[in-house]
Amino acid sequence: MRTLVSPGALRSPRGKLVYGIVFACTLAVFLLAFMFPLYWVVTGALKSPQELAQTPATLVPHEWHPETFADAWDQLSLGKYFLNTLVVAGGAWLAQLAIDVPAAFALSKLRPKFGNVVLGLMLATLMLPATALLVPTYVTVTDLPLLHLNLINSPAAIWLPAAANAFNIYLLKRFFDQIPDELIEAARIDGAGPVRTLWRIVLPISRPILAVVSILAVVTAWKDFIWPLLVFPDTEKQTLSVMLQRVAIDMPLNVLVAGMVLASLPVVALFLAFQRQILAGLTAGSIKG
């Protein structure tokens, strides 16, 4: 295989030096591109309102105000809205696992009649812009078919639309397709039905992709703005993203930025805690015997 630089040149002292410099510079550029926005928002919360609003902006705060985070927690009542968002995100996560995992397993291993047609119709929904679905979804949750329930100001208005996620079903199906059919046949011979096979055989070896789907579900529900804004007119039941936008006009700028930083910490911590499982799920292409 030909490369831009020959292996012999890389083994020479000059080649190693050049390679090290280029690698270090490339790494520094990427770190700066990804980390600078985080640095900017955190230091913005530590500045005074006057310094944060001044032009040109300061790279390092002249005066540090760590108490801004405590002020944001108290003035914005973040504890209550954290709880609201946790209920919404947790319910959306459970609803997606309860619907998407069995659906993907059925399409992958049970192979129902017209299963490919059903999968194609599911994937076709990804071609629709999210805004085009707002009105029909809103009409549905205001008068739930058959039950005639109004779900406005209820977390179920978030959980139910989020339950059937075509993208997550596709990810899960692709992973389940890699599971040898011999495992499923062995479980069937031992008398295990589809539910027991899914629970005892498939799920234990699907932890990487389940971690990916879980992260996507939680992060999407946590940061969503338009839909929670529509279904939570009651300010006491709103999520963090909606509340922060609602109070943006009345709050000092540094307090608002501090609230945004605190609101983003759970999803950042979630990714850091499960990054190994996430990367394993994204790169999983086969199952070793």
Side-chain angles (χ1 to χ4, degrees), residues 41-289:
V41 71
V42 172
T43 55
L46 295 172
K47 298 176 182 178
S48 65
Q50 295 76 17
E51 183 180 359
L52 185 57
Q54 77 178 32
T55 303
T58 56
L59 188 61
V60 179
H62 295 318
E63 295 182 1
W64 298 81
H65 297 276
E67 70 278 1
T68 306
F69 291 100
D71 295 340
W73 184 272
D74 294 333
Q75 295 180 29
L76 299 176
S77 301
L78 286 182
K80 174 176 64 178
Y81 293 103
F82 260 111
L83 181 60
N84 292 347
T85 311
L86 183 62
V87 171
V88 167
W93 167 63
L94 290 175
Q96 288 192 41
L97 290 185
I99 299 298
D100 296 353
V101 172
F105 176 72
L107 292 171
S108 175
K109 296 304 179 184
L110 302 184
R111 298 183 179 91
K113 193 174 182 179
F114 303 117
N116 290 333
V117 176
V118 173
L119 179 62
L121 292 174
M122 289 182 181
L123 295 179
T125 62
L126 298 177
M127 302 298 105
L128 297 173
T131 52
L133 301 175
L134 288 177
V135 172
T137 308
Y138 185 83
V139 172
T140 301
V141 299
T142 54
D143 185 13
L144 200 63
L146 301 179
L147 300 179
H148 300 292
L149 296 176
N150 188 342
L151 300 181
I152 297 299
N153 285 321
S154 169
I158 304 288
W159 300 342
L160 293 181
N165 188 297
F167 182 71
N168 286 345
I169 291 176
Y170 176 74
L171 286 181
L172 289 163
K173 181 184 180 299
R174 291 284 294 179
F175 187 91
F176 293 160
D177 287 343
Q178 306 300 322
I179 298 177
D181 290 336
E182 290 78 6
L183 288 177
I184 308 301
E185 290 296 330
R188 186 178 294 115
I189 292 173
D190 288 340
V195 175
R196 187 176 179 184
T197 300
L198 174 63
W199 183 259
R200 294 291 182 89
I201 305 297
V202 175
L203 291 185
I205 60 179
S206 303
R207 291 176 183 174
I209 195 63
L210 291 177
V212 173
V213 170
S214 298
I215 292 294
L216 292 176
V218 171
V219 171
T220 300
W222 193 276
K223 68 182 181 64
D224 194 13
F225 171 72
I226 295 295
W227 185 242
L229 177 66
L230 292 176
V231 299
F232 288 129
D234 186 352
T235 58
E236 295 298 313
K237 298 182 178 180
Q238 290 176 344
T239 58
L240 282 167
S241 59
V242 178
M243 181 275 297
L244 289 171
Q245 186 276 338
R246 175 171 53 83
V247 303
I249 299 177
D250 302 322
M251 281 291 149
L253 188 56
N254 62 336
V255 173
L256 181 64
V257 174
M260 295 178 180
V261 173
L262 293 174
S264 65
L265 286 180
V267 290
V268 173
L270 191 64
F271 174 79
L272 294 177
F274 294 99
Q275 59 179 324
R276 181 176 300 177
Q277 290 84 349
I278 295 170
L279 295 176
L282 290 175
T283 57
S286 62
I287 295 179
K288 296 180 181 180

